[in-house]
């Protein structure tokens, strides 16, 4: 009995991987476009992209002071926790929210510029990486004001961010294809991301609630382990704050990465050619 892959099916998989490789080969194009996106957004402002950093820093500091008072925590603990959480969450939410519109927003280019679809996704990830780098300026300033017990383990933030980029890519690809077909999913995605911000330990410290003497609070706090965003935030926040790594966070992230890319490649194989008609 023959187990050969049908020619049409084999060709579909080949075109899918060609799209991924072709988009990466055009990195000079999407690299330039991603940088221009940021410059265009702050074209006539005096400080330019620095406004990204200022707005994020002001929000993080305000919430740090507020929640430090509410939970009775030292500001030197609460503020760095929230600040790094904000930086990481900004990248995650940006990939999701902009990923939902990545093909719709580039309708003109898709219809008139013969290039791989992944060019637009790589452009999005590159733009979010530049924003992340801008926000890391605040992290550097925070280290001066509130020194953290950093060791060589801070280097774990590099592979952690690489995993964030890999997951941001498949999320943008998957959401981009699906929301292009079903436009109602865009506002639904926005609502879910907003809800997950409050359910993810960004402004509240997870360990404090888990170790609470109130058993009811501790049990409810442990439910956060089922929140995948918790693990994505922790694999990069913990090394940046000089805290010990937990293997379970990395395992969950790696599993999600493999499953997410597998699902995305399947969707790309079946529906990639239809995106230009759906937009």
């Amino acid at each position: 009995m023959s187990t050969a892959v049908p020619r049409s099916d084999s060709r579909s998989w080949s075109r899918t991987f060609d799209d991924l490789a072709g988009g990466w080969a055009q990195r000079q194009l999407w690299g330039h476009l991603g940088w221009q996106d940021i410059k265009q957004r702050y074209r006539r402002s005096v400080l330019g992209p620095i406004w990204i950093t200022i707005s994020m820093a002001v929000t993080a500091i305000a919430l740090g002071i507020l929640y430090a008072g509410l939970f009775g925590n030292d500001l030197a603990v609460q503020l760095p926790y929230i600040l790094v959480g904000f930086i990481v969450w900004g990248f995650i939410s940006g990939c999701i929210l902009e990923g939902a519109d990545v093909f719709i927003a580039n309708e003109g280019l898709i219809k008139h510029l013969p290039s791989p679809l992944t060019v637009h996704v790589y452009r999005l990830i590159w733009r979010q990486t530049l924003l992340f780098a801008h926000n890391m300026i605040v992290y550097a300033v925070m280290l001066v004001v509130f020194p953290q017990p950093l060791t060589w383990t801070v280097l774990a933030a590099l592979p952690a961010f690489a995993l964030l980029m890999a997951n941001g890519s498949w999320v943008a690809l998957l959401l981009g294809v699906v929301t292009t077909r079903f436009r109602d999913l865009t506002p639904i995605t926005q609502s879910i991301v907003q809800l997950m911000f409050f359910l993810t330990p960004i402004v509240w410290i997870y360990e404090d609630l888990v170790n609470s003497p109130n058993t009811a609070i501790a049990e409810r706090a442990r439910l956060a382990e089922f929140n995948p965003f918790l693990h994505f935030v922790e694999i990069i926040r913990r090394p940046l704050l000089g805290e010990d790594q937990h293997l379970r966070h990395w395992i969950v992230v790696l599993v999600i990465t493999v499953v997410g890319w597998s699902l995305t490649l399947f969707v790309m194989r079946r529906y990639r050619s239809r995106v230009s008609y759906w937009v």
Side-chain angles (χ1 to χ4, degrees):
M1 180 177 178
S2 175
T3 58
V5 178
R7 181 176 299 178
S8 59
D9 190 59
S10 176
R11 188 179 299 125
S12 297
W13 281 113
S14 177
R15 290 173 178 172
T16 299
F17 289 107
D18 286 345
D19 194 295
L20 291 169
W24 179 254
Q26 296 187 27
R27 49 190 174 273
Q28 186 173 2
L29 172 62
W30 52 258
H32 175 73
L33 291 175
W35 180 248
Q36 288 300 315
D37 288 340
I38 295 180
K39 291 180 64 177
Q40 187 68 24
R41 185 182 303 180
Y42 300 93
R43 184 177 180 181
R44 298 186 181 277
S45 65
V46 177
L47 297 179
I50 299 300
W51 277 116
I52 304 170
T53 303
I54 294 176
S55 60
M56 190 278 299
V58 170
T59 304
I61 292 173
L63 289 177
I65 296 174
L66 173 63
Y67 280 89
L70 289 176
F71 291 112
N73 292 329
D74 187 352
L75 185 62
V77 175
Q78 189 79 42
L79 182 55
Y81 187 91
I82 291 179
L83 186 62
V84 177
F86 254 86
I87 295 174
V88 180
W89 182 258
F91 181 87
I92 294 174
S93 62
C95 290
I96 297 174
L97 295 176
E98 294 190 22
D101 287 328
V102 65
F103 298 136
I104 300 173
N106 292 284
E107 175 184 356
L109 291 176
I110 292 175
K111 289 184 175 180
H112 300 100
L113 181 65
S115 62
L117 287 177
T118 50
V119 164
H120 309 292
V121 174
Y122 293 141
R123 173 185 177 182
L124 185 158
I125 299 300
W126 171 238
R127 182 169 63 248
Q128 291 299 322
T129 300
L130 291 175
L131 295 176
F132 182 88
H134 274 92
N135 289 334
M136 286 299 289
I137 297 174
V138 183
Y139 170 74
V141 174
M142 182 271 294
L143 289 179
V144 176
V145 180
F146 300 110
Q148 301 297 307
L150 300 181
T151 63
W152 62 270
T153 56
V154 70
L155 296 177
L158 296 178
F161 185 69
L163 281 174
L164 286 184
M165 295 174 67
N167 282 274
S169 299
W170 75 253
V171 167
L173 265 176
L174 181 62
L175 282 178
V177 172
V178 176
T179 54
T180 300
R181 175 63 180 87
F182 303 101
R183 302 298 175 94
D184 291 336
L185 289 178
T186 299
I188 294 176
T189 301
Q190 295 171 349
S191 299
I192 292 176
V193 170
Q194 185 176 15
L195 174 63
M196 294 310 298
F197 172 80
F198 296 103
L199 296 180
T200 305
I202 305 297
V203 296
W204 48 276
I205 300 179
Y206 172 65
E207 286 79 5
D208 287 352
L209 297 183
V210 170
N211 298 323
S212 173
N214 188 321
T215 56
I217 294 178
E219 291 176 0
R220 292 171 184 171
R222 291 190 183 93
L223 294 176
E225 290 286 341
F226 295 99
N227 178 359
F229 293 105
L230 162 70
H231 307 283
F232 282 97
V233 172
E234 288 299 291
I235 62 171
I236 189 168
R237 177 164 56 191
R238 297 188 72 85
L240 289 179
L241 294 180
E243 299 176 354
D244 295 333
Q245 290 286 300
H246 292 163
L247 182 60
R248 70 181 187 279
H249 296 314
W250 289 86
I251 293 176
V252 171
V253 169
L254 288 171
V255 170
I256 292 176
T257 303
V258 173
V259 173
W261 267 109
S262 299
L263 176 60
T264 301
L265 290 175
F266 173 77
V267 171
M268 281 285 289
R269 181 184 70 86
R270 295 202 60 178
Y271 303 110
R272 180 188 61 83
S273 60
R274 304 183 190 181
V275 172
S276 58
Y277 299 98
W278 289 340
V279 294

